[in-house]
Amino acid sequence: MSITLHIHATRETANKKVAREIAELIRAKPHAVLGLATGSTPIGVYEELVRLHHQEGLSFRQVCTFNLDEYQGIDLSHPESYWNFMHRHLFDHIDIPAANIHIPGTRVPSLELADYCKRYEELITVHGGIDYQILGIGRTGHIGFNEPGSPPDCRTRRILLDQLTREDAAPAFGDLDHVPTHAITMGCGTIMEARHIALLAFGTAKAAIVRKALRGPVSSQISASYLQNHEHTSFHLDHESASLL
Ligand code: GLP
């Protein structure tokens, strides 16, 4: 098993390639299950999917989605909540029914966490599992919010965010003190069950972690390195993020 590497001339080429794969999947299987990611990286893929919806009639009516993660302790309406992000960049512009969208809540009470996370996993299973998972990568090597130390078989759960992850998010939240300390994230085991995975990473800031994820040992210190053991994972890079390979 090895990760398929695509080094694209531009980010736009990468975005179009991933969006086209998703469109082909949906056309072949209208009730496809998509695993979705947030962060600045996948925005271009979502823009292309919206374009395909408007200009080429791609319908999401029967598609079902599961987001990777969500911050804890902020309102859903907070501009940085992943619920808000997904609606702003994708869901408000396509024909997916609200009932088909799954994103972990932002204020899951501690006492309900275990049941809540178990239910999230069950819902993925009930819908037949994730057909196509989009991933970005954090500078700690996280996929979703699986920070260093996450075991390969971990499932959906609450996680303490790494200091580097919070620092990276600080500009969006105004300052570090406003960045949530915790999130709910699908686990590495959950992600690894997706049938196809596309990880996107752009820019020089991602070059070092892309190298570790692809070429380094498989290690719980870099959860993206687990993807080396997945049967159908592609990395979509630009020249900058691939510059240390
Ligand atoms: C957050 C998200 C990740 C994402 C990462 C990188 O931590 N939970 O899913 O991959 O940010 O974000 P960006 O794409 O903005 O670099």
Side-chain angles (χ1 to χ4, degrees), residues 206-233:
K206 297 288 171 75
I209 198 64
V210 162
R211 181 186 161 78
K212 286 183 186 165
L214 256 178
R215 307 278 190 239
V218 175
S219 153
S220 66
Q221 290 312 299
I222 311 278
S223 62
S225 69
Y226 294 142
L227 298 170
Q228 293 178 29
N229 291 329
H230 189 265
E231 288 195 16
H232 296 287
T233 289

Side-chain angles (χ1 to χ4, degrees), residues 15 23 27 37 53 152 159 172 214:
N15 296 335
R27 287 191 173 115
H53 171 64
I159 191 152
L214 256 178

